[in-house]
């Protein structure tokens, strides 16, 4: 089994576990980003309060709306990303070694090369998996509607007689979301938001650059002080993953909001402020009608969700990679022992 495949499968496994743990936060954050009702914006609602509102008004299942395609998307995204990351990383390492033989550099992959490797891996990932995330966004932002029972009464009912209920007229599953996107924009609709998402490859690029820089420095310091022992614990990986994701999220968050607005269901009637024709149109309308504050809606929720998910992902991935390599080494050793002399 190749090193790229091991990293790809480990990344997929770690991503699924991180997604399961943090999914309710992701759902609430997507709703915060796509909120366009200016009246609701005047009353600040915290993340926990909003989660409670969703549970009370729509049920627990709405916090996990789109979970199935999201898990598929997470596995696909992490698998594709780590697979191509390892391939590009290996090429960069070979190039660095060749340059060292020529007297250029110290044979290690520099910060700029790490950034380029992560960016290329991110671009491949975005182009292949964007349709999945369009569907996930639609399902996360789908809301049950508020209706008044007995609306055909001629007389206006007394306040105590008015019964409000949250209803979902039709089940809204993955198939419904796919049909909705196709009816709205055709085949190209599944690549809505791909432009800001491609720019957002700088997020994992920055994340991995920061992560590998911190990891490299720690291993170097530890190898010097511990006579060659440069091992890293799972909790140290957890911490580095969290810090790296925190820095990357703070830089790229506005693009994430624009992407969510484009991928959510578009309002085709009524207020023109809620209709986005493309990335530039969304940015200009958000600046005009919401101000720069609109680009940072739900950022605190996103930071908590992203940092926790990234930290869990890195920790699980590294442990899975170690386990897989140990099994391969053990298996190879057993094969050698079983061969006759």
């Amino acid at each position: 089994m190749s090193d790229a495949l091991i990293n790809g499968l480990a990344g997929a496994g770690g991503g699924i576990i991180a997604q399961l743990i943090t999914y309710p936060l992701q759902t609430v954050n997507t709703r915060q980003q796509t909120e366009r009702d200016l009246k609701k914006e005047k009353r600040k609602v915290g993340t926990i309060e909003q989660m409670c509102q969703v549970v009370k008004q729509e049920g627990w299942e709405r916090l996990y709306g789109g979970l199935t395609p999201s898990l598929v998307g997470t596995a696909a995204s992490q698998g594709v990303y780590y697979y191509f990351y390892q391939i590009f990383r290996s090429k960069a390492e070979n190039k660095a070694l060749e340059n060292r033989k020529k007297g250029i550099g110290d044979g290690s992959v520099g910060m700029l090369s790490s950034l380029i490797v992560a960016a290329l891996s991110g671009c491949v990932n975005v182009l292949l998996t964007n349709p999945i995330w369009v569907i996930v966004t639609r399902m996360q932002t789908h809301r049950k509607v508020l209706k008044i029972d007995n609306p055909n009464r001629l007389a206006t009912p007394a306040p105590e007689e008015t019964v409000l209920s949250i209803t979902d007229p039709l089940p809204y599953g993955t198939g419904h979301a796919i049909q909705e996107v196709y009816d709205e924009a055709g085949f190209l609709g599944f690549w809505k938001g791909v432009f800001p998402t491609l720019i957002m490859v700088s997020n994992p690029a920055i994340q991995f650059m920061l992560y590998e820089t911190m990891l490299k420095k720690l291993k170097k310091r530890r190898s010097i002080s511990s006579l060659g022992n440069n091992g890293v614990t799972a909790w140290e990986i957890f911490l580095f993953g969290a810090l790296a994701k925190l820095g990357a999220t703070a830089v790229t968050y506005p693009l994430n909001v624009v992407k969510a607005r484009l991928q959510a269901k578009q309002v085709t009637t009524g207020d023109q402020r809620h209709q986005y024709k493309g990335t530039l149109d969304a940015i200009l309308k958000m600046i005009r009608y919401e101000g720069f504050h609109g680009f940072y809606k739900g950022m605190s929720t996103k930071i908590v969700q992203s940092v926790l998910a990234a930290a869990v992902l890195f920790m699980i991935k590294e442990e899975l990679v170690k386990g897989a390599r140990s099994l391969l080494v053990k298996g190879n050793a057993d094969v050698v022992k079983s061969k006759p002399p």
Side-chain angles (χ1 to χ4, degrees):
M1 185 181 292
S2 68
D3 204 44
L5 184 57
I6 291 175
N7 276 270
L9 293 175
I16 288 175
I17 294 173
Q19 187 82 330
L20 286 170
I21 294 173
T22 65
Y23 196 79
L25 287 172
Q26 185 178 331
T27 297
V28 170
N29 177 242
T30 303
R31 291 190 174 204
Q32 291 171 339
Q33 291 175 336
T34 56
E35 179 58 65
R36 306 171 199 176
D37 189 336
L38 298 180
K39 293 180 180 179
K40 288 183 180 180
E41 291 175 12
K42 293 180 180 179
R43 179 175 177 268
K44 299 295 183 181
V45 179
T47 302
I48 301 300
E49 184 179 354
Q50 190 165 353
M51 289 177 67
C52 292
Q53 286 180 357
V54 172
V55 172
K56 181 180 179 181
Q57 297 177 358
E58 305 177 52
W60 278 100
E61 69 275 8
R62 292 314 309 158
L63 285 177
Y64 291 89
L67 178 61
T68 300
S70 181
L71 289 176
V72 173
T74 298
S77 293
Q78 296 299 335
V80 168
Y81 185 86
Y82 281 112
Y83 181 79
F84 283 97
Y85 180 84
Q86 192 61 39
I87 289 175
F88 294 143
R89 178 79 182 182
S90 296
K91 291 183 180 298
E93 289 175 349
N94 291 335
K95 183 66 175 177
L97 290 175
E98 289 179 6
N99 289 337
R100 183 182 180 182
K101 293 178 181 178
K102 297 177 182 178
I104 304 173
D106 60 357
S108 63
V109 179
M111 198 173 284
L112 179 60
S113 296
S114 294
L115 186 64
I116 294 173
V117 165
L120 289 173
S121 305
C123 287
V124 174
N125 175 39
V126 167
L127 293 173
L128 293 178
T129 64
N130 194 76
I132 300 174
W133 298 113
V134 172
I135 300 305
V136 171
T137 300
R138 291 296 177 103
M139 296 182 73
Q140 287 178 333
T141 55
H142 177 74
R143 300 171 187 260
K144 293 185 178 182
V145 295
L146 182 65
K147 289 190 174 182
I148 301 177
D149 287 350
N150 301 323
N152 295 325
R153 291 182 182 177
L154 295 177
T156 303
E160 62 273 10
E161 295 177 347
T162 302
V163 180
L164 298 179
S165 63
I166 301 293
T167 62
D168 198 357
L170 292 172
Y172 191 80
T174 304
H176 297 89
I178 293 173
Q179 188 64 50
E180 181 182 87
V181 174
Y182 184 79
D183 291 342
E184 183 180 295
F187 185 72
L188 292 179
F190 294 99
W191 273 268
K192 279 190 172 183
V194 72
F195 183 70
T197 309
L198 281 172
I199 300 176
M200 279 179 61
V201 299
S202 59
N203 183 292
I206 294 170
Q207 174 187 346
F208 275 88
M209 181 183 68
L210 292 174
Y211 172 76
E212 292 204 346
T213 299
M214 290 187 289
L215 195 63
K216 183 178 178 182
K217 288 185 176 180
L218 177 65
K219 286 182 176 180
K220 185 176 181 179
R221 182 181 302 175
R222 191 158 289 174
S223 64
I224 295 174
S225 61
S226 304
L227 299 176
N229 180 19
N230 60 351
V232 182
T233 67
W235 283 111
E236 287 171 334
I237 293 171
F238 182 96
L239 178 62
F240 288 162
L243 291 174
K245 190 62 178 181
L246 177 61
T249 299
V251 173
T252 61
Y253 189 77
L255 287 170
N256 200 15
V257 176
V258 174
K259 180 204 72 171
R261 293 288 182 95
L262 292 170
Q263 293 181 343
K265 185 176 181 179
Q266 296 297 301
V267 179
T268 56
T269 59
D271 200 333
Q272 292 291 322
R273 294 177 298 179
H274 298 167
Q275 300 177 26
Y276 303 133
K277 298 177 182 178
T279 302
L280 182 60
D281 184 54
I283 292 173
L284 293 176
K285 284 182 176 178
M286 288 178 66
I287 293 174
R288 180 178 179 184
Y289 298 117
E290 302 175 52
F292 287 99
H293 165 73
F295 292 98
Y296 292 92
K297 284 183 177 179
M299 185 172 178
S300 59
T301 305
K302 183 63 177 178
I303 287 177
V304 173
Q305 184 268 328
S306 296
V307 169
L308 179 59
V312 172
L313 166 63
F314 278 116
M315 184 174 67
I316 298 297
K317 173 188 171 290
E318 292 296 335
E319 290 302 305
L320 289 175
V321 169
K322 287 180 183 178
R325 286 174 177 168
S326 297
L327 288 175
L328 285 175
V329 170
K330 184 179 179 182
N332 292 334
D334 291 340
V335 170
V336 171
K337 289 180 180 179
S338 63
K339 288 184 178 181

